[in-house]
Amino acid sequence: MGKVILEVKDLKTKYVTRFKESVYAVDGVSLQIEEGKSLGVAGESGCGKSTLALSLMGYYFAPLHYISGDIIIDGKNISGMKPDEVRKNVLGREVAYIPQAAMNALNPTQKVIKFVEDVVRAHDKSMSKKDIYDMAVQRFEVLGLPKEVLSKYSVELSGGMKQRTVIAISTIKSPKVLIADEPSSALDVTSQKMVIKMMRELMEKGYIKAMIFITHELPLLYNVTDDIMVMYAGQIIERGTAHEMVFDPVHPYSKGLMGSIIVPEAGTRDVKLEAIPGTPPNLKKPPPGCRFAARCKYKIPTCEHGERSPRIFDNNRMHRCIHSVEYLQERYKNEREAGSKGKVSETGAE
């Protein structure tokens, strides 16, 4: 096992509405990422992916509020730090965040170099404009961005170039952890490929030590990350290697996500996609037991009662389900062989 760069222990955060209602968007999340590794986070809209990304920075502003848990970056616990301390010593230095729609994050009235100057001087006011420019030229060119970009306004850049520029600016101080929230979702395939290549280079060249990549698309994560974890209703419901999660998902929700994706391969033209019925639960009052039970065709009566704790196996694979891995895999096998889509019996649970 390599050096752990990011460790999260039982993190809980919530949103507070204007009616003083609490929405528990991240509920008991724990994870580890080693140096040189990348973690993918997948799940449908509203499952807590983006809230987890915001929470991991340790910087909270209304309506998002910290409840409990630890966020440890390279041995430093940033939980409970004052906002000013987080802004000065954590953001951009320990952890960087690429938000959704990052292409729109650049002020169209300022040149790119101005953004670089603002980021650098937030941490080091002693650097001159020339030093900052020289540093930016070196970093941009290493990442495949021509130095001419620095003298341009954002409106002069294409969508893919804007996205890559935002990533380069956000990582100019070489943060230990980069959190990218759907950085390629609004791009064409060619631009997506360039953005992903750039993020890999950040890891390979040592500019960042670990990465979290958030998206709806499990197959995309297979080509980008080492491990994948799936979130549902504010919790991690399964985690494994990228290969395991794409080709052999265990949890019924993970299985459903993969089953709802079009696969452009020979022999799949007449294969019917499997939609996941129902909607996620209301996180103002999370249900007891398994949060996916109301939508799960494999549920048994005991699924809806009692907390479902994560199960971790010898190969470090984890899932949050009352059924054993062996039981679920046997059920999936039987379904494939029989072509059955009927309701599961209430026997065979662990």
Side-chain angles (χ1 to χ4, degrees), residues 93-133:
R93 190 186 294 269
E94 300 291 329
V95 58
Y97 173 59
I98 310 297
Q100 291 188 41
M103 291 185 295
N104 301 322
L106 299 175
N107 186 331
T109 66
Q110 294 182 343
K111 293 183 178 180
V112 171
I113 187 60
K114 182 63 169 60
F115 297 105
V116 179
E117 291 173 357
D118 289 344
V119 171
V120 173
R121 284 182 172 164
H123 301 283
D124 186 358
K125 298 183 183 299
S126 65
M127 287 191 70
S128 67
K129 284 190 175 183
K130 184 181 184 306
D131 289 340
I132 294 174
Y133 179 79

Side-chain angles (χ1 to χ4, degrees), residues 32 34 227 239-240 244 312-318:
Q32 286 187 346
E34 299 174 16
D227 290 349
R239 175 172 176 168
E244 289 171 335
I312 300 175
F313 299 89
D314 291 340
N315 61 355
N316 206 32
R317 190 166 188 182
M318 179 275 281

Side-chain angles (χ1 to χ4, degrees), residues 51-77:
T51 304
L52 175 63
L54 292 170
S55 300
L56 291 178
M57 294 188 294
Y59 187 71
Y60 303 95
F61 47 91
L64 181 61
H65 297 267
Y66 169 79
I67 301 175
S68 62
D70 296 313
I71 304 165
I72 303 167
I73 301 176
D74 201 16
K76 180 189 297 183
N77 194 333

Side-chain angles (χ1 to χ4, degrees), residues 9 12 39 51 113 150 152 154 174 189 274 286 313 315:
K9 299 179 180 179
K12 297 182 180 182
L39 172 67
T51 304
I113 187 60
L150 294 166
K152 292 183 179 294
S154 62
S174 299
V189 175
E274 292 187 31
F313 299 89
N315 61 355

